[in-house]
């Protein structure tokens, strides 16, 4: 593992454990056993390191989502695939890192920071598109606001980094199945009221 | 409005807008038009101010949840009431503030910080209890892990502070209804598979 990769890995661990705002470049240097200057040789700042951690995962998620949207799966199946893709990229401390990024972004108007914001925007939009397409195809309840639904599902998933403990909790697969059942059918044992259809012929 | 209250209100606005980690006691003082010392007369630090902002809302939510759990409502109705209570306390920048609190909490092991953690723990537990009771009463799908479900619903709600814009988006009431429908029946137009029952006689 080269020094650059080592810095990114150790920084990600420390960010997840004690929060970005409590981590200095010096802390990262100490954890690796080098001087601060050795970190500055590769990165300009803590936010630069954070960007390098968040960008690859975010790009991977967006690319995977673009592919999912271009398949011939039903929208129900696309949503399952989207959940699988999103949760298999689970990262501890993800919320903490995205919050720190948003906060520090005010002061780091670089090209990479814009790329990250744009990646997240397009990613959210593709989730909403699946809901809209599913409503038009009669697969999903057309009474519900599609943006609210896609953000509800993403919120469900992203909140995981606040309670999920990979070492003692259940498997990611079980979480995917639970969130999918919940998104599709909810928790109630009562039959659904007949949901609204945009296009009843398609159902 | 007394000076103390004024500090708390302005600090909450600034925290929500630019993030706790980018806000200094000096920023808060400047926004009010006083010297830093005037802030330190009331609060020991930024985290002290943050605690005073988060504690009252958290206590209100917990008390309201305790009452909901002691009513004779069905568990379905309790969940609706819990959603109403949680979302009516909507605060912009809530996630940012809770993340900042968790990060800085490492360094602020005060009585108030412990009270906030305990309040959040008990609050989450009461949500899970409603799911467990509902599963035992045959109201909710007993196949699903109750903790995962309660955290999914709380995640859905808490993520709101990342996308909801009170000035141009829909009403909180519409969000409550959407999240309730989603939690109870999901988005799919297909009939549910027969969910598992812990206690089929109760249904």
């Amino acid at each position: 593992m080269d020094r650059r990769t080592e810095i990114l890995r150790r920084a990600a661990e420390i960010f997840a454990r004690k929060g970005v705002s409590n981590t200095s470049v010096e802390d990262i240097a100490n954890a690796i056993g080098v001087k601060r200057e050795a970190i500055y040789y590769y990165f300009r700042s803590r936010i630069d390191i954070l960007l390098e951690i968040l960008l690859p995962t975010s790009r991977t998620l967006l690319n995977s989502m673009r592919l999912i949207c271009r398949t011939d799966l039903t929208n129900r199946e696309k949503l399952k695939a989207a959940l699988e893709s999103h949760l298999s990229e689970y990262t501890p401390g993800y919320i903490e890192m995205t919050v720190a990024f948003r906060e520090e972004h005010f002061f780091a108007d670089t090209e990479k920071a814009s790329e990250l914001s744009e990646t997240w925007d397009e990613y959210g939009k593709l989730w909403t598109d699946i809901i809209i397409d599913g409503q038009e195809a009669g697969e999903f309840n057309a009474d519900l606001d599609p943006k609210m639904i896609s953000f509800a599902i993403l919120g469900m998933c992203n909140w995981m980094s606040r309670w999920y403990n990979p070492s003692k909790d259940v498997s990611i697969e079980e979480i995917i199945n639970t969130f999918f059942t919940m998104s599709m059918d909810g928790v109630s044992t009562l039959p659904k009221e007949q949901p609204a259809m945009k296009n009843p012929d398609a159902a």
Side-chain angles (χ1 to χ4, degrees), chain A:
Chain A
M1 179 160 65
D2 63 22
R3 180 53 47 95
R4 202 168 188 287
T5 313
E6 191 185 1
I7 295 170
L8 292 173
R9 291 222 187 139
R10 296 308 291 267
E13 286 164 22
I14 305 174
F15 286 160
R17 184 156 41 82
K18 55 184 239 174
V20 180
S21 68
N22 289 315
T23 306
S24 63
V25 169
E26 186 134 24
D27 293 334
I28 300 167
N30 288 342
I32 301 175
V34 298
K35 294 214 167 107
R36 236 158 42 125
E37 291 70 30
I39 309 285
Y40 284 122
Y41 178 78
Y42 296 97
F43 301 98
R44 272 178 310 174
S45 66
R46 188 175 64 174
I47 178 103
D48 242 34
I49 300 178
L50 186 60
L51 264 171
E52 292 276 335
I53 294 170
L54 295 172
L55 254 179
T57 309
S58 305
R59 281 195 200 114
T60 304
L61 283 175
L62 177 58
N63 286 336
S64 154
M65 197 64 176
R66 283 182 181 149
L67 290 176
I68 290 167
C69 288
R70 295 184 66 135
T71 60
D72 59 0
L73 295 169
T74 65
N75 292 289
R76 181 191 173 94
E77 290 162 339
K78 282 180 186 169
L79 207 68
K80 178 81 185 275
L83 271 173
E84 281 164 354
S85 156
H86 192 87
L87 290 180
S88 66
E89 292 289 333
Y90 166 76
T91 313
Y94 176 75
I95 288 191
E96 280 71 8
M97 288 195 255
T98 58
V99 165
F101 167 73
R102 279 166 61 111
E103 293 189 354
E104 305 210 2
H105 178 44
F106 288 98
F107 305 97
D109 200 11
T110 65
E111 219 171 287
K112 276 190 182 166
S114 309
E115 187 193 340
L116 188 55
S117 298
E118 282 158 23
T119 303
W120 287 346
D121 285 349
E122 185 183 343
Y123 185 65
K125 212 189 141 295
L126 290 177
W127 276 83
T128 306
D129 286 347
I130 294 179
I131 306 294
I132 294 172
D133 291 348
Q135 290 177 325
E136 280 169 4
E139 291 176 68
F140 299 151
N141 183 347
D143 268 347
L144 303 172
D145 180 273
K147 184 181 147 193
M148 244 186 259
I149 291 301
S150 64
F151 286 9
I153 300 174
L154 281 168
M156 211 186 263
C157 295
N158 292 339
W159 198 245
M160 251 181 75
S161 80
R162 297 302 289 277
W163 58 268
Y164 180 61
N165 182 339
S167 63
K168 55 177 196 178
D169 267 320
V170 290
S171 69
I172 293 284
E173 206 185 345
E174 193 177 333
I175 297 181
I176 292 168
N177 286 329
T178 303
F179 285 2
F180 183 65
T181 302
M182 165 107 183
S183 305
M184 286 300 130
D185 292 332
V187 300
S188 170
T189 53
L190 295 176
K192 302 181 188 201
E193 284 179 46
Q194 192 55 47
M197 298 252 185
K198 276 234 167 80
N199 181 4
D201 299 336

